[in-house]
Amino acid sequence: MNNLKNYAPAIVRYGVGIVFFLLGISQITNPESWIAWFPSWITSFGFSIPTFILLNGIFDFLIGLLLILGLLTKIVSLISVLHLIGVISVLGYNDIAIRDFG
């Protein structure tokens, strides 16, 4: 079992990377299904909600891709944590926020 400890960081990195990658693809290809999760005040940043979803999808896609490839892992991990803290603070305490926290 101790031999498997060496693989744990890579498995976690791949797993989290795949989640971000797939969420990004979903937001890019099907932004309509994400509109309900974005608050209306997002438009105060100068973007429409569909545009913000597209930008967020590209961001998530790139985070996932970099994690899967193992590039800039520490920096990308920090950015992804900060991103998820933002998502959780916007969504509040609910089932989606708990999933993102996990």
Side-chain angles (χ1 to χ4, degrees):
M1 207 57 163
N2 277 340
N3 310 9
L4 299 178
K5 276 194 224 181
N6 297 333
Y7 299 106
I11 291 170
V12 170
R13 182 173 50 84
Y14 290 137
V16 172
I18 289 168
V19 169
F20 271 99
F21 186 82
L22 293 176
L23 286 172
I25 288 175
S26 176
Q27 290 175 43
I28 292 167
T29 59
N30 191 13
E32 305 83 33
S33 64
W34 290 88
I35 288 176
W37 297 107
F38 283 77
S40 59
W41 58 262
I42 290 291
T43 57
S44 65
F45 290 109
F47 299 106
S48 67
I49 291 178
T51 301
F52 197 84
I53 292 170
L54 178 64
L55 293 173
N56 192 70
I58 293 168
F59 182 74
D60 285 350
F61 174 83
L62 290 175
I63 286 175
L65 185 63
L66 290 171
L67 287 174
I68 291 167
L69 296 175
L71 301 173
L72 305 169
T73 306
K74 290 182 181 180
I75 295 168
V76 172
S77 297
L78 176 64
I79 292 169
S80 68
V81 166
L82 296 174
H83 177 58
L84 287 177
I85 289 170
V87 169
I88 292 168
S89 67
V90 167
L91 291 177
Y93 183 76
N94 60 31
D95 53 344
I96 301 298
I98 291 170
R99 178 206 63 199
D100 290 344
F101 180 73

